[in-house]
Every structure is written in structure tokens, then in C-alpha cells.
Amino acid sequence: MTTSAAPPLLELLHDVFGYTAFRGPQQAICEHVTAGGDALVLMPTGGGKSLCYQIPALARHAAGQGVTVVVSPLIALMHDQVGALEEAGVHAAFLNSSLDQAGAQAVERELLAGRLVLLYAAPERITHPRFLAMLDSLHERGRLALFAIDEAHCVSQWGHDFREEYLQLNVLAERYAGVPRVALTATADADTRADIIERLSLQGAQRFISSFDRPNIRYAIVEKDQQDRPREQLLRFIQREHPGEAGIVYCQSRKKVEETAAWLAARGLAALPYHAGLEADVRRRHQDRFLREDGLVMVATIAFGMGIDKPDVRFVAHLDLPKNIEGYYQETGRAGRDGEAADAWMTYGLADVVQQRRMIDESPAEDTFKRRQIGKLDALLALAESLDCRRVRLLRYFGEEPVSSDPIAGPPQDGVSPLGGQRRANGPSVGAYCCDNCETPPARWDATEAARMALSCIYRCHQHGGYGYGSVHTIAILRGQLTDKVRERGHERLSTFGVGQAYSEAQWRGVLRQLIALGHVRAEGDYGTLTLTASARAVLRGEVAIVLREPRAAEPKSRSRGTTPARSRVPAAAAQLDAAGQARFTALKTWRSEVAKAHNLPAYIVFTDATLAQMAAEAPADLDAVAAVSGVGAKKLDAYGAAILEVLAGVDAA
Ligand code: ADP
């Protein structure tokens, strides 16, 4: 039932959100969905999925077609989305367990009266008979405009976050034929995609699949240093590259989360812990602070992150190996959603490899499942040990062939990225800011001989006592060290005792780690006992050349090691301001945090850093000039335009 003409989509984008152009496939998706088509949208985190249903929701509501119902699994996310929409002048609400009865009733009244443009709700709420009855009544009156199913991978067992309640959502297809549905996810793999289509009955939906490249993220994976003090490496990384900026540090265990957060806090960083073992209200408080305050570091297990929409997370660091590349991509993807430069940094060592293997070995899962997990871990280890571009490897893993013919340059300037063109533009070439390997190619050494020594040492140990040993003992034998254990087992009599004295302990650790990563050695059981795999034979016979990464003496020379600090060389908008611009930016941020506090909203919902930086650079002198800044829509201009001019005038007068 179309009762009035909707404004053009680009006009909505500009007037409501203050953006001048659609990104990547957004326009095609918005047109298709607004016209009533079903869609499956696959876009990386930060690609701009929300607008793909919010713009159609606005257009269809303006055309008299009623409300858009958004299925979302997380309460915090619903709050933020609704807060941001209301800030932009769009009438939206959520229904979830955080509302009391009176609050829920008020929302239902708004819904039934047709005043809401968007309603967010959890899946179990939507499929509840009482709620379905309300939807029926809207449907009968032609006031059900669209269903948007966010985080659609939750419907799939292959996805990383399966939720039983999502399976019920098929009722929407059956019960409300003719109401368009759009499913959105940032999960790339083919199994999950097929599941979404099948379980949500989206066989007829148009598929919009974006590149999964995140051109503004720089990937770096460093070896845990010799003294194995990864926390100090982390601290140096944060102090050097991201002082005072927001970031997430992932650790595997709750204990390590707490210790690391306390350790960083003791060194003056604003760091908070987050894991599933903390009291619910502590967790909520920490999450809230992370969202609302500037520059906090959240040290967390993987329990943290899903649905965290914060756009200005400048780095994601891993102190432990993630489970697989999907996990790594998902977690690192939380950096730089705003399209500005961000870092994905990980430190790892031999012990991590051994531990991850052990966790798989000890899990009660079936063998086929374990084999699949081992395959995935191997792919991650290959990424960690790779000598070439990490971005290219990541994209290939997700079945994407980088468009560039230069293997280290990554996709070309106007590549297929949905973030179109927002890459590090200041470097000598795109490749140079791509990853640590492109920036400082790792030295390689011919480790064929060393690999043969290590393999034969592992083999001899097995022969000698009938069982294997871990890496520490193996290295002691290779280096000819008469440790107690060596004496006890009589291993000084092995033919491989002392054959590898020419190599340092760090080199040997690297050799073993990489032999595991290459699949020639397995580390098994509680002690990470080393055993040979079938492929080791060819290496032992000298038929396979082994070229390895040279252990780095220190941390790789990064873009920050030169005379210019890192931050002035990356194109984060604020970093490029001159002194007067910086003063304006600081004043605008202070003003923003007051407004955010007064409205009880995260600062980025008032305006993002990128918007403030553009204001600081351009110093608009009147309301028209403020309106021209990206991110300033009509409602925000009304609400804040005058205050912004005042803040800017105050700085210039000072
Ligand atoms: P996703 O849900 O895909 O992770 P979001 O919808 O949260 O991404 O968008 C990420 C960021 O990009 C948000 O800050 C959003 O306002 C911004 N954004 C989205 N589309 C555009 C656009 N066309 N122009 C400018 N900024 C945009």
C-alpha cells in the first residue's frame, strides 16, 4: 500500500545521516530492498551494513509502508543503534528484556500506531505468539515494511555464534509472504552462507557479496621475544603506535585477562578486564566505559566483542593464538570500523602452537571434527609463519583472489573494497602499509640442514626410549647441553647430540615452530611431545628444501621506528591537522564528551572522530558550512550546529 512518494535514497542518506555518497554496494542493495526485493548481504565489519536496511526502512516508511523490524541478538547493540537513529532524528525503538512492562507497552503503542520507522528486537521476542499477533495486525493493514535479520550467521551451526532462536525465524517467510527480508552478516565462508539461505528460505534473494578486504587494517604478527615477555612487547606496541587510543587485547584465559589488565593499569594505561567469569554488572560497567569513554584498552577473552559497534577501536592485539583464521579475522575486524587506519597485532611463540594443539587433542569431539580443527589451526600457523603478504593470504583463505598482479601490493587503489579508496594513502605504496611482511620483508635462511637435524633428533629420541619429548629437551640435545634430563636419559650418547651447536636457541625454537606449522612435526599431549608426520620423510631425505623466517633480533623495524612518529604518517584524519586544527579538534572533543554525558550516549554517536576532524580542518564559519561536513544530517545540524560554531569561535578567539 503506497500512499505517498518516498524521497530519493541519496537525499535520505544526506539529510538524515549527513553522508554525501553511498559506499560500495550500498546503493544497489538499498534500491533492491526498497523496491521490495529479498537480499543476502555479506560485507566485512565496518563495511556499512546498517544503512543497507535503515535507508530502505526510511524510504518505505515515508511511502506509507510501515515499520521495519530488525532482528538483533544483542541488547547493547540495539541500544546503540536506536540511540544513534534517534540522534539522527529517526523514530526507532527496541523491545528486549531490559525494558520494564510500562516501557514495553509504550513501545508497542508506538508500533501499532505506525509511528515507528524501525523496531529492534531479539529473535525470541519476534517469534513469540503475542508479538506475532501484533505483526499480523500490522501486516493486515499493509504496515509491515521490511524484516532485517542482522548477524544472520547465528542461524548456522557453521557460524561462530549459533543461536537456537534464530532457527525459528523461518516463520517470517511463511507467515508474511510479500514482506521483503534482508539478511546481513560479516561471516564469509561458503558453508555458513549456504545455511543462511536454506534456513531462512532466502533461495530467491539477490546476493550482494563484498570483498572481505579491510584496507585500513595493517596486520602484524611478531614472535614472542627471547625472554618470552610478550606483555612488554604489547606495552611497547601500544605506547609507540597507539598512546591514549582505544583498543582490545585478547587473551585465552580469564586469569591471563585479569593479570594483563592489572599489569597494564599499573603501567599507567587505562585498561579494564572483561571475561565471562566476572559478575554481570561488572561486565556491563566495563563494556559501557569502553563504549563511552575515549581511549580505553579492554583486555578480554573472546567473550567480548560480538556486537561491539564502536567505530574508533584503533588496535586489536592478540597475546594468544586465536583458534583459527575465521576467529582471527573476526576479532581483528573490530579494529577501524570507521575506515581510519588501525592495527591488528599478534605475538606468538612455540608454546602457543603446542597449547592450541593440545586443546584440540584433549577435546571430547569426534575425530572428523578434530581433523577439521587441526586443518584450520594449520592454516593459521601458516599465516603466522608466512614470508609473504598476510593480507593476500587472508583473502585467499576466504576464497578471494586479490586483484593486483603484484603479490605484495594488495588490491589496486580503487579495488573491490567496500570501503572504497579509504586506505593508507600516505605511504610509498599501498603494499608498504599492508602488513609487517610487506613493510619489512622478513629475512629468510636456508634451514634444510637444520630441519633435517631436528627431525632426525626427534626420530632418534623415539627410537632410543620408545617415546618422544617436548621442544625444550629436543633443543638441549641438538645444542649439546648436558642437562639433568639429558644425563638421566642417556641422550648425550645419541648421534644427534650437539650437532646443532651452530644455531642459537631462538633459531631452534623457530625451526621447531615452523616445522610444526609446515606439518612435518606434530606436538601432542600434555607435554607437547614431538613426533614426525608422514611428510617428514621427504625432508629427512633432503628432497624438500626448507626456507624459514629468520628470527628477528628485535621487533621488526616498523613505520614508527624512523624519525617521524607513526601517527603522523598514517592518514587518520586527526593526525593530519596543523596546530590550529589540533586545538579545534581538542575543543570539539571536549564539547562532544559533555554532550555525550548529558545525553547518556557514547561519544561516537554524537559525532565520530572523522566528522570532528573534518570540522577542525575546515573550521566552518556558518551553518551551511557545518552542514557540508560528512556525518552532519539535518537533525544534528539543528541540534548542534550553533554550539559547534560557538566552540570553534571560542578556539579562534583564544
Ligand atoms: P557494519 O555493520 O557493516 O560493521 P556499520 O553499519 O556499523 O558497519 O558502519 C560502519 C561505519 O561506517 C559507521 O560509523 C557508519 O556510520 C559509517 N558509514 C556507513 N556507510 C557510510 C557512507 N556511505 N558514508 C560514510 N560513512 C558511512
Side-chain angles (χ1 to χ4, degrees):
M1 190 179 69
T2 306
T3 51
S4 57
L9 302 183
L10 194 61
E11 213 173 289
L12 286 173
L13 179 74
H14 186 255
D15 291 352
V16 178
F17 298 99
Y19 297 139
T20 45
F22 283 107
R23 266 187 196 164
Q26 276 177 337
Q27 180 161 4
I29 298 166
C30 290
E31 282 170 1
H32 178 75
V33 175
T34 303
D38 291 339
L40 172 65
V41 174
L42 268 73
M43 218 183 245
T45 308
K49 283 185 284 300
S50 317
L51 288 185
C52 297
Y53 60 83
Q54 289 170 348
I55 294 275
L58 282 161
R60 288 177 71 85
H61 188 266
Q65 288 167 311
V67 66
T68 289
V69 177
V70 186
V71 186
S72 173
L74 290 147
I75 293 181
L77 194 86
M78 292 187 213
H79 285 208
D80 282 358
Q81 291 265 1
V82 168
L85 285 165
E86 289 281 342
E87 271 293 297
V90 180
H91 193 23
F94 54 75
L95 273 178
N96 60 39
S97 55
S98 73
L99 290 179
D100 58 15
Q101 204 181 357
Q105 279 168 354
V107 171
E108 288 174 10
R109 271 198 304 278
E110 288 296 289
L111 171 70
L112 291 170
R115 281 192 288 268
L116 284 180
V117 181
L118 290 114
L119 175 72
Y120 286 75
E124 61 275 16
R125 170 79 60 152
I126 284 169
T127 52
H128 192 277
R130 199 169 151 275
F131 190 78
L132 286 175
M134 276 191 280
L135 292 185
D136 290 347
S137 114
L138 289 167
H139 189 43
E140 279 159 23
R141 291 181 279 142
R143 291 299 167 92
L144 207 42
L146 170 68
F147 289 110
I149 301 157
D150 207 3
E151 313 287 356
H153 58 272
C154 291
V155 82
S156 167
Q157 240 125 6
W158 300 121
H160 42 81
D161 196 39
F162 172 65
R163 290 178 188 228
E164 193 81 39
E165 315 85 69
Y166 262 68
L167 292 177
Q168 312 299 322
L169 290 173
N170 208 18
V171 68
L172 302 179
E174 293 158 10
R175 198 151 163 153
Y176 306 110
V179 178
R181 287 170 305 133
V182 50
L184 310 103
T185 177
T187 300
D189 76 274
D191 292 341
T192 311
R193 193 186 312 170
D195 251 11
I196 295 174
I197 291 170
E198 162 87 26
R199 295 184 176 193
L200 295 177
S201 304
L202 283 169
Q203 289 83 355
Q206 187 156 333
R207 296 165 201 184
F208 296 90
I209 298 167
S210 301
S211 163
F212 272 70
D213 188 20
R214 296 288 310 276
N216 59 317
I217 297 183
R218 168 185 179 270
Y219 298 93
I221 303 180
V222 304
E223 293 142 41
K224 285 190 174 161
D225 76 13
Q226 299 209 14
Q227 286 77 35
D228 221 24
R229 285 193 302 240
R231 283 200 302 222
E232 274 161 32
Q233 287 176 295
L234 171 73
L235 182 64
R236 281 198 297 278
F237 161 74
I238 298 176
Q239 286 173 334
R240 201 176 56 210
E241 311 268 346
H242 298 285
E245 293 182 327
I248 306 174
V249 176
Y250 282 110
C251 303
Q252 196 153 31
S253 69
R254 296 172 181 187
K255 182 162 168 266
K256 188 156 167 188
V257 162
E258 304 224 358
E259 285 170 2
T260 307
W263 189 87
L264 290 174
R267 274 144 197 87
L269 265 70
L272 294 173
Y274 188 104
H275 59 71
L278 292 172
E279 299 275 331
D281 67 308
V282 175
R283 278 207 311 266
R284 200 170 317 119
R285 211 170 50 238
H286 287 186
Q287 173 166 318
D288 254 28
R289 285 191 57 192
F290 181 69
L291 293 177
R292 272 150 220 266
E293 291 174 27
D294 273 339
L296 277 188
V297 175
M298 188 70 106
V299 185
T301 60
I302 52 169
F304 180 75
M306 162 89 164
I308 294 300
D309 241 354
K310 189 175 167 63
D312 56 356
V313 175
R314 294 271 65 87
F315 68 90
V316 169
H318 281 90
L319 278 182
D320 292 304
L321 267 188
K323 278 199 179 59
N324 49 42
I325 292 187
E326 285 87 347
Y328 175 73
Y329 180 79
Q330 174 87 16
E331 286 142 32
T332 55
R334 292 175 184 138
R337 291 169 83 110
D338 54 8
E340 305 256 324
D343 276 290
W345 183 92
M346 177 161 93
T347 171
Y348 97 117
L350 182 54
D352 293 286
V353 178
V354 172
Q355 188 184 1
Q356 282 289 0
R357 259 310 291 239
R358 199 175 78 200
M359 281 173 51
I360 298 174
D361 287 341
E362 287 175 357
S363 85
E366 284 174 23
D367 278 357
T368 42
F369 186 76
K370 282 189 186 178
R371 266 201 298 280
R372 206 175 147 136
Q373 284 192 304
I374 288 170
K376 289 189 167 207
L377 174 60
D378 287 347
L380 177 68
L381 297 179
L383 173 76
E385 295 294 354
S386 75
L387 292 150
D388 49 20
C389 177
R390 303 204 199 266
R391 178 186 311 284
V392 169
R393 277 196 177 244
L394 269 174
L395 290 177
R396 287 223 175 99
Y397 182 82
F398 291 119
E400 221 174 285
E401 208 42 51
V403 189
S404 167
S405 58
D406 177 352
I408 64 160
Q413 208 62 37
D414 319 313
V416 284
S417 162
L419 292 172
Q422 295 200 26
R423 58 189 72 242
R424 293 164 198 271
N426 274 14
S429 77
V430 172
Y433 290 110
C434 191
C435 72
D436 52 349
N437 285 351
C438 290
E439 221 164 84
T440 319
R444 318 163 176 231
W445 63 295
D446 182 346
T448 312
E449 251 333 283
R452 291 175 66 188
M453 287 177 193
L455 295 176
S456 111
C457 186
I458 294 166
Y459 179 74
R460 299 265 170 244
C461 283
H462 273 277
Q463 253 192 346
H464 188 79
Y467 43 86
Y469 295 87
S471 55
V472 174
H473 186 62
T474 306
I475 292 173
I477 300 172
L478 285 163
R479 301 197 68 218
Q481 289 167 334
L482 273 172
T483 61
D484 292 349
K485 191 162 169 184
V486 165
R487 281 209 189 86
E488 217 171 89
R489 310 286 149 107
H491 282 166
E492 73 279 12
R493 296 195 298 277
L494 291 179
S495 59
T496 49
F497 183 77
V499 289
Q501 283 178 17
Y503 303 110
S504 70
E505 196 181 318
Q507 271 175 315
W508 279 120
R509 274 208 302 266
V511 170
L512 290 178
R513 206 179 60 227
Q514 295 182 67
L515 285 173
I516 295 172
L518 289 167
H520 301 310
V521 172
R522 291 240 175 274
E524 288 167 335
D526 266 4
Y527 302 104
T529 303
L530 303 176
T531 52
L532 304 188
T533 67
S535 69
R537 195 161 302 169
V539 183
L540 268 170
R541 283 200 299 255
E543 291 163 12
V544 180
I546 302 282
V547 177
L548 299 182
R549 290 173 74 101
E550 185 85 70
R552 306 217 200 236
E555 272 145 72
K557 253 215 239 130
S558 83
R559 58 204 150 98
S560 64
R561 283 296 181 89
T563 44
T564 347
R567 292 139 58 64
S568 66
R569 282 202 255 157
V570 294
Q576 296 182 327
L577 295 169
D578 59 15
Q582 285 291 354
R584 286 191 286 267
F585 185 61
T586 309
L588 286 167
K589 274 176 89 168
T590 309
W591 167 80
R592 178 181 67 177
S593 70
E594 283 159 14
V595 174
K597 254 207 194 99
H599 295 204
N600 193 24
L601 286 171
Y604 60 82
I605 286 184
V606 179
F607 285 117
T608 62
D609 280 0
T611 298
L612 293 192
Q614 196 186 336
M615 286 177 191
E618 292 173 3
D622 54 37
L623 287 176
D624 284 346
V626 176
V629 174
S630 176
V632 184
K635 161 94 191 290
K636 287 190 183 177
L637 182 69
D638 254 15
Y640 304 127
I644 289 165
L645 290 174
E646 210 171 290
V647 172
L648 293 173
V651 178
D652 286 344

